[in-house]
Amino acid sequence: MRSIAAVEFYRKNRGQGRKPYGFHWGEPAVIKRMQALKAAGMSYEGIAAQLNGEGVKPRAGGCWWGKTVNNILRQAGPAAVDRMWEAMRQLEPTWSAPVSVRELRAALPGVATAEFDLAVLALRAGGKVYLSEHDFPLGEKEEVRRLMVREGDRYFVAITARGPR
């Protein structure tokens, strides 16, 4: 039996055509996974193969294709990594100059802390940026440490592009 909320949701949204990917339950998590894989430097075909290997099924069943992944990511808008590059260029136009992680967070208010940290660490893993580590983070207050990028017991305070994008 459906809940009253589910029936009302159906009544409001029926007859409006096919919903974009990400509308139904569970799909936003798949989009975030796709964006994370793309941020790590994976091709659309590679992302499709990864999702197929993980057993993630597309809405209509079957298997993922690179073109489908491309369309979904294009519709979802720029990922955190792309927005991060744009914000870095606005804060510091010289590509070789470091940008404070605190300033970069402030320039991307819609990006969740965990998503921001994952994007920064994915850029580092892909060899696209250098991260400057804090020498003694435990000497800082907790609210200051929360603004840094954390990986295990390491805290990073600045990000520098390795070269022009």
Side-chain angles (χ1 to χ4, degrees):
M1 183 171 179
R2 289 185 175 175
S3 69
I4 294 172
V7 171
E8 287 301 315
F9 179 80
Y10 175 75
R11 283 186 184 155
K12 280 191 228 173
N13 293 296
R14 71 176 177 194
Q16 297 176 358
R18 185 176 172 95
K19 304 297 184 256
Y21 195 84
F23 179 82
H24 297 293
W25 183 85
E27 292 177 349
V30 176
I31 291 175
K32 286 188 183 219
R33 177 77 173 127
M34 288 177 182
Q35 289 173 334
L37 292 171
K38 185 64 181 163
M42 202 174 270
S43 69
Y44 297 119
E45 293 294 332
I47 295 170
Q50 180 75 27
L51 292 173
N52 289 330
E54 292 173 0
V56 177
K57 295 288 182 193
R59 184 185 288 175
C63 64
W64 289 102
W65 296 94
K67 181 68 176 169
T68 308
V69 172
N70 182 5
N71 289 338
I72 289 171
L73 289 178
R74 198 167 11 93
Q75 290 173 0
V81 172
D82 294 332
R83 291 175 42 211
M84 190 174 293
W85 277 110
E86 292 171 18
M88 284 176 66
R89 295 294 62 88
Q90 289 173 359
L91 291 170
E92 185 54 62
T94 308
W95 63 265
S96 61
V99 175
S100 164
V101 169
R102 184 184 300 186
E103 290 176 1
L104 192 55
R105 274 191 205 279
L108 300 167
V111 178
T113 302
E115 185 181 0
F116 181 91
D117 291 357
L118 285 174
V120 169
L121 295 173
L123 285 171
R124 185 189 67 174
K128 297 183 188 304
V129 298
Y130 295 110
L131 295 179
S132 301
E133 190 172 352
H134 194 291
D135 291 334
F136 189 64
L138 298 178
E140 299 287 352
K141 294 180 181 177
E142 179 60 31
E143 59 266 14
V144 174
R145 284 197 311 261
R146 267 191 244 124
L147 296 174
M148 299 177 197
V149 173
R150 181 178 179 190
E151 182 185 40
D153 59 349
R154 300 173 70 190
Y155 290 84
F156 301 101
V157 293
I159 181 171
T160 307
R162 286 187 119 175
R165 185 160 188 242

